Amino acid sequence: MIYLKRMMKKYWLAIWIASLFSSCALNGALKEKAKFEQQTIPTLSLADSTDNYLSIDSNFLFHNAQGLWELYVSGNPMELGLKTGILTQSLYAYQEKAFFSKIQEFIPSQRKQKWMMKLTKVYNRNIHKYIPIAYRKEIFGLSRYASPRYDSLMDPYQRNLFLHGAHDLGHAFQDLALVGCSSLAAWGPKSADGELIIGRNFDFYAGDDFSQNKLITIVKPDSGYSFLSVGWAGMIGVVSGMNSAGLTVTLNAGKSSIPWAARTPISIVAREILQYARNFKEAIAIAKKHSIFISESLMIGSADEGRAILIEMSPHKFAVFESDNANYLLCTNHFQSSTYQSDKRNQKQIEESHSVYRHQLLTEQLQQQDKLTAPKVAAILRDRNGLKNKEIGYGNEKALNQLLAHHGVIFQPKKRLVWISANPYQLGEFVCYDLNKIFDNKAHQPASTLANTALNIPQDTFLNSKAYRDYEEYRKRDRIIDHKLKSDQEITESEWQEYQKLNPLFWAVYYKRGTYYFEQKRYEEALKQLQQADSCEVTTLVDRKNIASYIHKIEKKGDNR
């Protein structure tokens, strides 16, 4: 998403040619929408409406003290969509604006935006065929409360179907630039009570605004299990969640090829597992029946089995991985089963990305830690350092805490407990939800949190430090530096110095200054900066090769003088 402009340049012609032959297929979702509109659609009206509480029947939306939005809905698919739509209407509009504003940032031209939406409709022309009918009804109900702001770009129902595939497209097109999630599961001797405990960071970044309103969705459907999931308004899919049977699902992106047509969004696969599976066998059966268009690891935790497994899915392969270690399972962004050992894309991911480094970090943590508790898992998820506790610069994607996570979450499936991080990132208070109490209580107290706040985990002390304030200032200046580099504007020496002081251990602050001097043919100064960058913990093999290439060019120029 944040590199859509680059994507469009590379694939514009191919998709445009496809559009010439596919216009007749664009109306599939609209025809289905017309059929839905012929059904009897309940008219809903809010019973209570305040700044932090909305309700309709026994369903409601509440904004808690930690800044998390708690949505509680029940009913059949259409009712779930309609109730979610009316309760989250303003949040839904906010998320769409955040998403499309990011697109507008990189494609300012309205004419090109409309072309992009047209091409997106071509790409997603059959996506509705790969989403179960119950979820399409729910999406239709939800889309009736979409803001009309973007109707000129795409019909609300089509638009929502597209947004459900945005997570998939984000990492497929951008080579995981947006997604670098880390997950761990421990049980037996590694867990304080011997029961399964799971922690994960969802490092999906689509701008600060997109992550502002975290939505805790609690669903009591008319079929299947009740469940809790963490995400954002406008999406019925699941990226992190646990159901009333104690089964959990979290997503970790893998190395994907560029897909030519949309299939089932992985968040919809995860939603179906969460709603209809209580054990590994049922989860695997649901996952196997879906055709997906990206590569993804699904960590499945089970209260019944007392452990976790990985379902590794790609468009052409399917595998189940269980840890050789009897006490824990780790997952970052590469596949671990024998099925993918010879897979070229997975091999490239292992060699070039930061996935293996984070896996080693998790291994190091689990080898050092015994008797894991929820607070201990939170500390692991919040860790900003590298291997052997080395400081590697804030925001380094080699860290478990990259300081960009949409959310962190902790599960204790046997006890049906969930902890979800409040803003910012996973640094805020981890708010506890007891699913036993939530789903056993038929009449929740109005205008009150669903959280079991007595079990909350306090916010990270880092939030009160000068280092945190410096990092937030660094992020602001980093965007300014990037804009100036992109537009060939002058950057003063004092600007560079202040910028580097804010995050002095991060390799990129020296790399950017080095490339700036290189373009100005100030080679001696460029070499000094690039060598400093090379001495830091560089994020990926590709980044290190780029640094080496610049250094080689400068040294070659020196030899030729």
Side-chain angles (χ1 to χ4, degrees):
M1 281 175 289
I2 63 172
Y3 297 109
L4 281 171
K5 190 170 184 179
R6 186 189 306 168
M7 178 194 80
M8 293 306 295
K9 285 181 179 179
K10 191 172 183 180
Y11 298 102
W12 186 277
L13 180 60
I15 302 176
W16 179 77
I17 292 172
S19 72
L20 296 178
F21 300 99
S22 304
S23 60
C24 60
L26 295 179
N27 295 323
L30 295 181
K31 289 179 180 178
E32 181 171 68
K33 176 186 176 183
K35 291 181 180 179
F36 289 152
E37 289 175 332
Q38 292 172 6
Q39 301 175 17
T40 301
I41 301 173
T43 301
L44 304 182
S45 58
L46 294 171
D48 293 297
S49 179
T50 66
D51 289 343
N52 68 342
Y53 180 74
L54 302 173
S55 70
I56 178 169
D57 299 328
S58 59
N59 301 262
F60 58 87
L61 176 71
F62 179 73
H63 196 210
N64 69 24
Q66 291 77 22
L68 299 174
W69 290 93
E70 301 170 356
L71 173 68
Y72 185 95
V73 289
S74 60
N76 62 41
M78 185 69 76
E79 291 170 341
L80 290 176
L82 292 169
K83 290 174 181 177
T84 299
I86 193 171
L87 290 169
T88 65
Q89 189 169 14
S90 62
L91 295 179
Y92 184 8
Y94 183 95
Q95 291 302 130
E96 277 206 312
K97 182 180 178 182
F99 180 83
F100 284 104
S101 293
K102 185 59 65 175
I103 292 175
Q104 291 166 354
E105 179 181 333
F106 287 91
I107 308 177
S109 167
Q110 290 189 355
R111 180 179 61 83
K112 289 183 179 180
Q113 289 172 25
K114 289 181 179 180
W115 261 106
M116 180 192 160
M117 289 301 107
K118 182 177 180 180
L119 299 180
T120 299
K121 283 188 280 187
V122 173
Y123 183 86
N124 288 286
R125 62 190 179 277
N126 290 321
I127 194 171
H128 61 288
K129 296 179 181 179
Y130 293 91
I131 297 176
I133 182 63
Y135 299 143
R136 300 203 303 269
K137 288 182 179 179
E138 189 173 338
I139 290 171
F140 166 76
L142 174 61
S143 68
R144 289 178 67 84
Y145 292 91
S147 166
R149 180 173 186 154
Y150 302 102
D151 287 359
S152 62
L153 295 177
M154 192 183 295
D155 171 82
Y157 179 55
Q158 282 183 317
R159 204 163 70 231
N160 195 280
L161 289 170
F162 158 60
L163 290 173
H164 274 79
H167 168 265
D168 307 56
L169 288 171
H171 78 73
F173 280 119
Q174 303 317 325
D175 238 4
L176 302 184
L178 305 179
V179 189
C181 308
S182 304
S183 305
L184 65 96
W187 57 90
K190 284 293 180 183
S191 170
D193 59 4
E195 301 292 348
L196 174 64
I197 186 168
I198 297 170
R200 75 90 105 256
N201 284 332
F202 185 62
D203 292 317
F204 178 81
Y205 183 75
D208 291 348
D209 289 342
F210 193 85
S211 301
Q212 187 63 36
N213 292 307
K214 299 178 185 179
L215 182 66
I216 317 305
T217 302
I218 296 147
V219 180
K220 290 193 74 172
D222 65 347
S223 65
Y225 297 102
S226 301
F227 63 88
L228 175 150
S229 71
V230 192
W232 48 88
M235 189 177 80
I236 69 162
V238 169
V239 295
S240 306
M242 181 163 73
N243 69 21
S244 58
L247 185 113
T248 69
V249 182
T250 60
L251 304 183
N252 286 63
K255 179 73 174 179
S256 293
S257 60
I258 301 298
W260 290 101
R263 295 291 186 265
T264 308
I266 196 66
S267 68
I268 294 295
V269 179
R271 163 69 185 269
E272 188 172 349
I273 290 173
L274 204 61
Q275 187 172 345
Y276 291 104
R278 74 166 295 130
N279 55 43
F280 295 151
K281 181 179 179 180
E282 293 173 356
I284 292 168
I286 291 170
K288 272 188 174 180
K289 73 180 186 180
H290 285 286
S291 174
I292 65 173
F293 60 107
I294 45 82
S295 298
E296 200 89 16
S297 292
L298 285 72
M299 180 176 278
I300 309 295
S302 168
D304 283 0
E305 280 102 340
R307 55 194 173 87
I309 63 171
L310 296 177
I311 297 176
E312 298 180 340
M313 301 178 67
S314 68
H316 306 296
K317 297 178 184 178
F318 185 96
V320 176
F321 177 76
E322 298 190 49
S323 175
D324 294 333
N325 188 299
N327 305 131
Y328 62 85
L329 176 68
L330 310 175
C331 182
T332 48
N333 298 108
H334 62 276
F335 291 141
Q336 302 174 63
S337 66
S338 58
T339 302
Y340 289 92
Q341 281 184 358
S342 60
D343 185 272
K344 292 183 179 179
R345 291 190 181 89
N346 192 49
Q347 288 176 342
K348 186 176 181 180
Q349 177 76 340
I350 289 171
E351 180 185 359
E352 295 185 351
S353 78
H354 43 77
S355 181
V356 170
Y357 188 96
R358 283 182 288 109
H359 196 279
Q360 292 170 343
L361 267 176
L362 286 172
T363 302
E364 184 178 81
Q365 292 274 8
L366 268 291
Q367 288 175 345
Q368 295 172 355
Q369 296 265 17
D370 278 321
K371 310 300 181 186
L372 287 179
T373 61
K376 285 184 178 180
V377 173
I380 292 173
L381 298 180
R382 290 167 168 172
D383 187 14
R384 300 175 298 279
N385 290 340
L387 289 167
K388 298 181 180 180
N389 207 33
K390 176 184 177 182
E391 294 184 5
I392 58 176
Y394 296 131
N396 194 321
E397 292 175 354
K398 280 190 168 181
L400 296 175
N401 178 5
Q402 302 172 20
L403 292 170
L404 56 68
H406 182 275
H407 63 263
V409 62
I410 302 166
F411 300 115
Q412 285 190 317
K414 195 75 173 180
K415 296 178 180 177
R416 309 297 195 269
L417 295 177
V418 183
W419 286 263
I420 300 161
S421 67
N423 282 330
Y425 322 119
Q426 64 276 64
L427 299 177
E429 193 171 355
F430 270 83
V431 181
C432 182
Y433 294 87
D434 185 336
L435 297 195
N436 288 314
K437 292 182 179 179
I438 290 173
F439 292 129
D440 288 346
N441 190 348
K442 296 181 180 179
H444 294 289
Q445 184 178 349
S448 177
T449 182
L450 294 171
N452 185 351
T453 55
L455 296 179
N456 284 6
I457 299 169
Q459 70 177 28
D460 195 326
T461 55
F462 177 65
L463 279 177
N464 298 318
S465 69
K466 180 180 183 298
Y468 172 73
R469 294 191 295 273
D470 284 349
Y471 174 71
E472 289 299 306
E473 180 62 27
Y474 155 77
R475 293 179 71 236
K476 295 176 185 176
R477 297 201 185 195
D478 190 52
R479 287 189 284 266
I480 295 171
I481 291 288
D482 283 347
H483 174 73
K484 288 190 173 184
L485 289 173
K486 189 176 180 180
S487 55
D488 295 323
Q489 294 184 39
E490 180 186 2
I491 304 174
T492 66
E493 293 301 296
S494 61
E495 282 182 282
W496 279 121
Q497 291 168 8
E498 288 301 316
Y499 170 65
Q500 291 180 330
K501 284 180 183 178
L502 293 169
N503 201 359
L505 298 178
F506 190 38
W507 68 274
V509 301
Y510 305 104
Y511 175 74
K512 291 179 182 181
R513 191 173 182 179
T515 58
Y516 175 78
Y517 287 152
F518 183 89
E519 294 301 322
Q520 292 188 332
K521 300 182 180 181
R522 297 160 62 180
Y523 299 122
E524 187 174 340
E525 294 167 283
L527 181 61
K528 181 179 178 181
Q529 293 295 324
L530 291 163
Q531 288 175 334
Q532 180 68 31
D534 196 44
S535 71
C536 299
E537 190 66 63
V538 180
T539 304
T540 67
L541 179 62
V542 173
D543 294 323
R544 191 167 289 283
K545 285 182 175 179
N546 285 338
I547 295 171
S549 176
Y550 273 107
I551 291 175
H552 177 71
K553 289 176 184 177
I554 294 172
E555 291 175 341
K556 189 175 180 180
K557 289 178 183 296
D559 292 340
N560 292 333
R561 282 198 292 246

